[in-house]
Amino acid sequence: MNDFVHRRRTELLGAYVLNHLEGSELAAVLDHLDDCAECQGEVAKLAPVARALAGVNADNVTVPAHLEELVVRRIDARRGRRTRTTFLLTAAAAVVIAGAAWWYLRPAAPLEPVALVQQAPGVTAEASIVPHIWGVEIKLDGQGFASGQTYQVSVTGNDGAEVSAGSFIGTGANLMHCNLNSSVLRSDASGFVVRDATGMITLASTFSRR
């Protein structure tokens, strides 16, 4: 795939995690994600932001008076007119940008190392988890996962049910770093499993009791 096509697919990742894509664009991004570990990692980083923004109720957002004045001045300077619709859209964009900035600049959550209780022959790995208010994030480092093969990761709940935390593509002997996210809260999670394309468990972990 050439750089132009890759860049175009990357530009659509934000819309993808917000579920704003459909038709040919959605199909193109899904096809690209099957083969691009870089973009898979980017989606994993964007997904928590999308979940956080999904919970924002725009009706409850209070915009400071001085922000309205500043925005309107900018609109006047550029377009020579004032419109309430333009202001509201601009203010909404400011709220989204501020929320995203807070997300990326917030203090880092503590890492919690977890025990790996099962590893397939040839696979070596270590993992930590981050307990977020929206669910468990898994930070997985490892090698020996079959190159080019897609692996599915699930977080296991205390009730034994498995909830998807995403997927990654094996890199063979090369060291792999990936972040995976699930909606299972730390207090409700007991571990995670990694399954290969046949559904066999390649890696399994257990979390300490809370």
Side-chain angles (χ1 to χ4, degrees):
M1 177 175 295
N2 61 47
D3 290 342
F4 174 80
V5 174
H6 176 80
R7 187 167 60 253
R8 175 56 181 155
R9 299 291 186 269
T10 302
E11 291 171 352
L12 293 173
L13 293 182
Y16 168 72
V17 298
L18 291 171
N19 294 319
H20 289 172
L21 293 183
E22 56 185 25
S24 60
E25 286 188 328
L26 176 59
V29 169
L30 290 175
D31 182 64
H32 179 66
L33 287 173
D34 283 341
D35 300 314
C36 182
E38 178 183 348
C39 286
Q40 289 177 9
E42 190 64 23
V43 166
K45 294 177 182 178
L46 291 173
V49 180
R51 293 192 190 102
L53 292 178
V56 174
N57 183 351
D59 293 334
N60 294 331
V61 175
T62 301
V63 180
H66 70 275
L67 178 60
E68 178 176 3
E69 181 181 354
L70 176 61
V71 171
V72 170
R73 284 181 184 174
R74 295 288 178 86
I75 294 171
D76 284 346
R78 291 190 175 190
R79 300 184 180 179
R81 67 178 184 273
R82 298 185 182 187
T83 65
R84 179 173 176 80
T85 299
T86 302
F87 164 70
L88 290 175
L89 290 175
T90 306
V95 170
V96 171
I97 292 170
W102 169 85
W103 183 266
Y104 282 109
L105 297 176
R106 74 196 189 284
L111 288 176
E112 177 186 339
V114 294
L116 300 178
V117 297
Q118 180 178 342
Q119 298 185 66
V123 172
T124 58
E126 58 182 26
S128 299
I129 59 173
V130 183
H132 293 288
I133 60 173
W134 43 260
V136 169
E137 175 185 2
I138 302 169
K139 293 183 177 292
L140 177 64
D141 299 334
Q143 56 191 140
F145 297 96
S147 181
Q149 183 172 150
T150 299
Y151 292 83
Q152 302 294 329
V153 183
S154 299
V155 169
T156 306
N158 292 330
D159 59 358
E162 295 184 7
V163 178
S164 175
S167 62
F168 65 86
I169 296 177
T171 56
N174 296 320
L175 183 61
M176 175 198 69
H177 307 279
C178 61
N179 295 338
L180 304 128
N181 297 284
S182 82
S183 59
V184 183
L185 297 176
R186 174 63 182 89
S187 58
D188 298 327
S190 62
F192 74 83
V193 294
V194 178
R195 298 181 185 274
D196 63 18
T198 68
M200 296 293 295
I201 295 178
T202 302
L203 190 70
S205 171
T206 57
F207 303 163
S208 61
R209 290 279 185 177
R210 279 202 172 183

